[in-house]
Amino acid sequence: MYSKESCPYCVRAKQLLKSKGITFEEHNLEGKDKEITELKDRTGWRTFPQIFIDDKLIGGFTELVALDSRGEL
């Protein structure tokens, strides 16, 4: 998961994953403009969090919740 400290959806995504007992690796990009630009160029997304499963972008918090709702998380 790529996140920023100032992002409330990042906090919620981490809470959801932790509540499900799912381990994850977090890359906090707060203040790392170069890395943020590289990530945006790679994914086309400008928002956070950006959540990957097996190196595939699944989306952000909304998409994570949808996966959980479908029992696919």
Side-chain angles (χ1 to χ4, degrees):
M1 172 191 313
Y2 291 90
S3 66
K4 294 172 88 176
E5 290 174 21
S6 58
C7 167
Y9 290 105
C10 298
V11 172
R12 293 175 70 189
K14 290 185 279 188
Q15 290 172 338
L16 176 59
L17 292 169
K18 287 177 185 176
S19 75
K20 298 287 184 176
I22 298 171
T23 58
F24 60 94
E25 185 176 330
E26 179 182 7
H27 302 277
N28 185 333
L29 299 186
E30 190 76 39
K32 298 180 181 177
D33 294 338
K34 180 182 176 195
E35 289 89 342
I36 291 170
T37 298
E38 290 171 352
L39 182 62
K40 287 178 182 178
D41 290 346
R42 182 175 140 207
T43 65
W45 281 54
R46 298 175 7 141
T47 59
F48 286 88
Q50 293 188 29
I51 303 167
F52 290 77
I53 297 177
D54 296 327
D55 294 323
K56 179 183 175 195
L57 177 65
I58 61 130
F61 177 70
T62 302
E63 291 79 12
L64 183 67
V65 169
L67 276 177
D68 185 42
S69 295
R70 293 191 307 263
E72 298 174 6
L73 186 57

PDB file of all heavy atoms in Angstrom, residues 1-3 10 36 39-40 43-52 57-60:
ATOM      1  N   MET A   1       0.847  -1.168   0.000  1.00  0.00           N
ATOM      2  CA  MET A   1       0.000   0.000   0.000  1.00  0.00           C
ATOM      3  C   MET A   1       0.892   1.230   0.000  1.00  0.00           C
ATOM      4  O   MET A   1       1.814   1.332   0.799  1.00  0.00           O
ATOM      5  CB  MET A   1      -0.881   0.016   1.247  1.00  0.00           C
ATOM      6  CG  MET A   1      -1.649   1.305   1.398  1.00  0.00           C
ATOM      7  SD  MET A   1      -2.475   1.551   2.984  1.00  0.00           S
ATOM      8  CE  MET A   1      -3.279   0.019   3.236  1.00  0.00           C
ATOM      9  N   TYR A   2       0.577   2.138  -0.903  1.00  0.00           N
ATOM     10  CA  TYR A   2       1.228   3.435  -0.924  1.00  0.00           C
ATOM     11  C   TYR A   2       0.296   4.407  -0.235  1.00  0.00           C
ATOM     12  O   TYR A   2      -0.897   4.469  -0.559  1.00  0.00           O
ATOM     13  CB  TYR A   2       1.519   3.883  -2.356  1.00  0.00           C
ATOM     14  CG  TYR A   2       2.586   3.028  -3.007  1.00  0.00           C
ATOM     15  CD1 TYR A   2       2.250   1.887  -3.704  1.00  0.00           C
ATOM     16  CD2 TYR A   2       3.920   3.371  -2.887  1.00  0.00           C
ATOM     17  CE1 TYR A   2       3.217   1.088  -4.286  1.00  0.00           C
ATOM     18  CE2 TYR A   2       4.905   2.587  -3.471  1.00  0.00           C
ATOM     19  CZ  TYR A   2       4.546   1.447  -4.167  1.00  0.00           C
ATOM     20  OH  TYR A   2       5.522   0.659  -4.734  1.00  0.00           O
ATOM     21  N   SER A   3       0.831   5.146   0.734  1.00  0.00           N
ATOM     22  CA  SER A   3      -0.012   6.006   1.545  1.00  0.00           C
ATOM     23  C   SER A   3       0.674   7.334   1.827  1.00  0.00           C
ATOM     24  O   SER A   3       1.838   7.536   1.483  1.00  0.00           O
ATOM     25  CB  SER A   3      -0.333   5.311   2.868  1.00  0.00           C
ATOM     26  OG  SER A   3       0.858   5.154   3.625  1.00  0.00           O
ATOM     27  N   CYS A  10      -6.277   6.452   3.877  1.00  0.00           N
ATOM     28  CA  CYS A  10      -5.149   5.555   4.132  1.00  0.00           C
ATOM     29  C   CYS A  10      -5.280   4.944   5.526  1.00  0.00           C
ATOM     30  O   CYS A  10      -5.081   3.738   5.706  1.00  0.00           O
ATOM     31  CB  CYS A  10      -3.819   6.316   4.018  1.00  0.00           C
ATOM     32  SG  CYS A  10      -3.498   7.009   2.386  1.00  0.00           S
ATOM     33  N   ILE A  36       6.150  10.159  -5.468  1.00  0.00           N
ATOM     34  CA  ILE A  36       4.728  10.353  -5.763  1.00  0.00           C
ATOM     35  C   ILE A  36       4.525  10.523  -7.264  1.00  0.00           C
ATOM     36  O   ILE A  36       3.631   9.906  -7.854  1.00  0.00           O
ATOM     37  CB  ILE A  36       4.167  11.556  -4.986  1.00  0.00           C
ATOM     38  CG1 ILE A  36       4.117  11.235  -3.488  1.00  0.00           C
ATOM     39  CG2 ILE A  36       2.786  11.936  -5.498  1.00  0.00           C
ATOM     40  CD1 ILE A  36       3.806  12.432  -2.611  1.00  0.00           C
ATOM     41  N   LEU A  39       4.961   7.179  -8.999  1.00  0.00           N
ATOM     42  CA  LEU A  39       3.804   6.308  -8.777  1.00  0.00           C
ATOM     43  C   LEU A  39       2.629   6.759  -9.638  1.00  0.00           C
ATOM     44  O   LEU A  39       1.962   5.930 -10.270  1.00  0.00           O
ATOM     45  CB  LEU A  39       3.418   6.298  -7.298  1.00  0.00           C
ATOM     46  CG  LEU A  39       2.261   5.391  -6.912  1.00  0.00           C
ATOM     47  CD1 LEU A  39       2.584   3.925  -7.196  1.00  0.00           C
ATOM     48  CD2 LEU A  39       1.905   5.592  -5.444  1.00  0.00           C
ATOM     49  N   LYS A  40       2.390   8.056  -9.692  1.00  0.00           N
ATOM     50  CA  LYS A  40       1.295   8.574 -10.513  1.00  0.00           C
ATOM     51  C   LYS A  40       1.522   8.267 -11.990  1.00  0.00           C
ATOM     52  O   LYS A  40       0.585   7.909 -12.709  1.00  0.00           O
ATOM     53  CB  LYS A  40       1.149  10.081 -10.306  1.00  0.00           C
ATOM     54  CG  LYS A  40       0.563  10.432  -8.970  1.00  0.00           C
ATOM     55  CD  LYS A  40       0.490  11.945  -8.784  1.00  0.00           C
ATOM     56  CE  LYS A  40      -0.046  12.293  -7.418  1.00  0.00           C
ATOM     57  NZ  LYS A  40      -0.075  13.748  -7.197  1.00  0.00           N
ATOM     58  N   THR A  43       0.748   4.447 -12.423  1.00  0.00           N
ATOM     59  CA  THR A  43      -0.623   3.951 -12.243  1.00  0.00           C
ATOM     60  C   THR A  43      -1.687   4.826 -12.904  1.00  0.00           C
ATOM     61  O   THR A  43      -2.799   4.354 -13.127  1.00  0.00           O
ATOM     62  CB  THR A  43      -0.969   3.864 -10.740  1.00  0.00           C
ATOM     63  OG1 THR A  43      -0.963   5.186 -10.173  1.00  0.00           O
ATOM     64  CG2 THR A  43      -0.013   2.957  -9.991  1.00  0.00           C
ATOM     65  N   GLY A  44      -1.375   6.079 -13.122  1.00  0.00           N
ATOM     66  CA  GLY A  44      -2.375   7.007 -13.625  1.00  0.00           C
ATOM     67  C   GLY A  44      -3.278   7.550 -12.528  1.00  0.00           C
ATOM     68  O   GLY A  44      -4.148   8.365 -12.780  1.00  0.00           O
ATOM     69  N   TRP A  45      -3.078   7.098 -11.301  1.00  0.00           N
ATOM     70  CA  TRP A  45      -3.883   7.532 -10.161  1.00  0.00           C
ATOM     71  C   TRP A  45      -3.210   8.707  -9.477  1.00  0.00           C
ATOM     72  O   TRP A  45      -1.986   8.732  -9.346  1.00  0.00           O
ATOM     73  CB  TRP A  45      -4.034   6.395  -9.163  1.00  0.00           C
ATOM     74  CG  TRP A  45      -5.046   5.379  -9.537  1.00  0.00           C
ATOM     75  CD1 TRP A  45      -5.111   4.689 -10.711  1.00  0.00           C
ATOM     76  CD2 TRP A  45      -6.130   4.930  -8.752  1.00  0.00           C
ATOM     77  NE1 TRP A  45      -6.173   3.832 -10.692  1.00  0.00           N
ATOM     78  CE2 TRP A  45      -6.809   3.959  -9.496  1.00  0.00           C
ATOM     79  CE3 TRP A  45      -6.576   5.250  -7.487  1.00  0.00           C
ATOM     80  CZ2 TRP A  45      -7.934   3.307  -9.014  1.00  0.00           C
ATOM     81  CZ3 TRP A  45      -7.688   4.593  -7.004  1.00  0.00           C
ATOM     82  CH2 TRP A  45      -8.367   3.642  -7.768  1.00  0.00           C
ATOM     83  N   ARG A  46      -4.023   9.645  -8.982  1.00  0.00           N
ATOM     84  CA  ARG A  46      -3.493  10.804  -8.274  1.00  0.00           C
ATOM     85  C   ARG A  46      -3.858  10.792  -6.804  1.00  0.00           C
ATOM     86  O   ARG A  46      -3.436  11.652  -6.053  1.00  0.00           O
ATOM     87  CB  ARG A  46      -4.022  12.089  -8.908  1.00  0.00           C
ATOM     88  CG  ARG A  46      -3.592  12.236 -10.335  1.00  0.00           C
ATOM     89  CD  ARG A  46      -4.187  13.422 -11.045  1.00  0.00           C
ATOM     90  NE  ARG A  46      -4.952  14.334 -10.231  1.00  0.00           N
ATOM     91  CZ  ARG A  46      -4.937  15.646 -10.347  1.00  0.00           C
ATOM     92  NH1 ARG A  46      -4.214  16.207 -11.267  1.00  0.00           N
ATOM     93  NH2 ARG A  46      -5.686  16.405  -9.563  1.00  0.00           N
ATOM     94  N   THR A  47      -4.664   9.846  -6.382  1.00  0.00           N
ATOM     95  CA  THR A  47      -5.155   9.813  -5.004  1.00  0.00           C
ATOM     96  C   THR A  47      -4.474   8.713  -4.207  1.00  0.00           C
ATOM     97  O   THR A  47      -3.847   7.806  -4.752  1.00  0.00           O
ATOM     98  CB  THR A  47      -6.675   9.600  -4.982  1.00  0.00           C
ATOM     99  OG1 THR A  47      -6.982   8.366  -5.646  1.00  0.00           O
ATOM    100  CG2 THR A  47      -7.398  10.740  -5.677  1.00  0.00           C
ATOM    101  N   PHE A  48      -4.662   8.783  -2.883  1.00  0.00           N
ATOM    102  CA  PHE A  48      -4.117   7.793  -1.965  1.00  0.00           C
ATOM    103  C   PHE A  48      -5.238   7.291  -1.080  1.00  0.00           C
ATOM    104  O   PHE A  48      -6.199   8.017  -0.850  1.00  0.00           O
ATOM    105  CB  PHE A  48      -3.023   8.423  -1.097  1.00  0.00           C
ATOM    106  CG  PHE A  48      -1.756   8.647  -1.857  1.00  0.00           C
ATOM    107  CD1 PHE A  48      -1.556   9.820  -2.562  1.00  0.00           C
ATOM    108  CD2 PHE A  48      -0.779   7.679  -1.890  1.00  0.00           C
ATOM    109  CE1 PHE A  48      -0.400  10.031  -3.278  1.00  0.00           C
ATOM    110  CE2 PHE A  48       0.384   7.881  -2.595  1.00  0.00           C
ATOM    111  CZ  PHE A  48       0.578   9.064  -3.299  1.00  0.00           C
ATOM    112  N   PRO A  49      -5.142   6.041  -0.609  1.00  0.00           N
ATOM    113  CA  PRO A  49      -4.053   5.112  -0.830  1.00  0.00           C
ATOM    114  C   PRO A  49      -4.120   4.479  -2.213  1.00  0.00           C
ATOM    115  O   PRO A  49      -5.160   4.527  -2.880  1.00  0.00           O
ATOM    116  CB  PRO A  49      -4.286   4.034   0.241  1.00  0.00           C
ATOM    117  CG  PRO A  49      -5.775   4.009   0.417  1.00  0.00           C
ATOM    118  CD  PRO A  49      -6.207   5.458   0.238  1.00  0.00           C
ATOM    119  N   GLN A  50      -3.012   3.898  -2.594  1.00  0.00           N
ATOM    120  CA  GLN A  50      -2.976   3.054  -3.782  1.00  0.00           C
ATOM    121  C   GLN A  50      -2.573   1.676  -3.269  1.00  0.00           C
ATOM    122  O   GLN A  50      -1.497   1.506  -2.715  1.00  0.00           O
ATOM    123  CB  GLN A  50      -1.988   3.591  -4.817  1.00  0.00           C
ATOM    124  CG  GLN A  50      -2.446   4.918  -5.395  1.00  0.00           C
ATOM    125  CD  GLN A  50      -1.612   5.385  -6.555  1.00  0.00           C
ATOM    126  OE1 GLN A  50      -1.050   4.584  -7.296  1.00  0.00           O
ATOM    127  NE2 GLN A  50      -1.545   6.693  -6.732  1.00  0.00           N
ATOM    128  N   ILE A  51      -3.491   0.738  -3.447  1.00  0.00           N
ATOM    129  CA  ILE A  51      -3.331  -0.587  -2.842  1.00  0.00           C
ATOM    130  C   ILE A  51      -3.089  -1.615  -3.941  1.00  0.00           C
ATOM    131  O   ILE A  51      -3.846  -1.694  -4.907  1.00  0.00           O
ATOM    132  CB  ILE A  51      -4.579  -0.949  -2.015  1.00  0.00           C
ATOM    133  CG1 ILE A  51      -4.816   0.128  -0.950  1.00  0.00           C
ATOM    134  CG2 ILE A  51      -4.422  -2.335  -1.394  1.00  0.00           C
ATOM    135  CD1 ILE A  51      -6.173   0.056  -0.288  1.00  0.00           C
ATOM    136  N   PHE A  52      -2.045  -2.386  -3.737  1.00  0.00           N
ATOM    137  CA  PHE A  52      -1.668  -3.431  -4.685  1.00  0.00           C
ATOM    138  C   PHE A  52      -1.787  -4.782  -4.003  1.00  0.00           C
ATOM    139  O   PHE A  52      -1.447  -4.933  -2.830  1.00  0.00           O
ATOM    140  CB  PHE A  52      -0.213  -3.249  -5.136  1.00  0.00           C
ATOM    141  CG  PHE A  52       0.008  -2.059  -6.025  1.00  0.00           C
ATOM    142  CD1 PHE A  52       0.064  -0.783  -5.509  1.00  0.00           C
ATOM    143  CD2 PHE A  52       0.182  -2.233  -7.387  1.00  0.00           C
ATOM    144  CE1 PHE A  52       0.277   0.320  -6.326  1.00  0.00           C
ATOM    145  CE2 PHE A  52       0.396  -1.154  -8.219  1.00  0.00           C
ATOM    146  CZ  PHE A  52       0.448   0.132  -7.691  1.00  0.00           C
ATOM    147  N   LEU A  57      -2.552  -3.272  -9.103  1.00  0.00           N
ATOM    148  CA  LEU A  57      -3.301  -2.198  -8.460  1.00  0.00           C
ATOM    149  C   LEU A  57      -4.770  -2.596  -8.368  1.00  0.00           C
ATOM    150  O   LEU A  57      -5.418  -2.858  -9.372  1.00  0.00           O
ATOM    151  CB  LEU A  57      -3.167  -0.898  -9.262  1.00  0.00           C
ATOM    152  CG  LEU A  57      -3.963   0.297  -8.743  1.00  0.00           C
ATOM    153  CD1 LEU A  57      -3.451   0.740  -7.375  1.00  0.00           C
ATOM    154  CD2 LEU A  57      -3.888   1.449  -9.737  1.00  0.00           C
ATOM    155  N   ILE A  58      -5.257  -2.664  -7.126  1.00  0.00           N
ATOM    156  CA  ILE A  58      -6.693  -2.954  -6.956  1.00  0.00           C
ATOM    157  C   ILE A  58      -7.481  -1.669  -6.773  1.00  0.00           C
ATOM    158  O   ILE A  58      -8.692  -1.678  -6.879  1.00  0.00           O
ATOM    159  CB  ILE A  58      -6.960  -3.926  -5.790  1.00  0.00           C
ATOM    160  CG1 ILE A  58      -6.493  -3.341  -4.467  1.00  0.00           C
ATOM    161  CG2 ILE A  58      -6.337  -5.271  -6.048  1.00  0.00           C
ATOM    162  CD1 ILE A  58      -7.533  -3.423  -3.411  1.00  0.00           C
ATOM    163  N   GLY A  59      -6.794  -0.583  -6.465  1.00  0.00           N
ATOM    164  CA  GLY A  59      -7.441   0.705  -6.303  1.00  0.00           C
ATOM    165  C   GLY A  59      -7.126   1.315  -4.958  1.00  0.00           C
ATOM    166  O   GLY A  59      -6.058   1.103  -4.398  1.00  0.00           O
ATOM    167  N   GLY A  60      -8.096   2.049  -4.432  1.00  0.00           N
ATOM    168  CA  GLY A  60      -7.941   2.719  -3.155  1.00  0.00           C
ATOM    169  C   GLY A  60      -8.864   2.126  -2.108  1.00  0.00           C
ATOM    170  O   GLY A  60      -9.277   0.967  -2.193  1.00  0.00           O
TER     171      GLY A  60
END
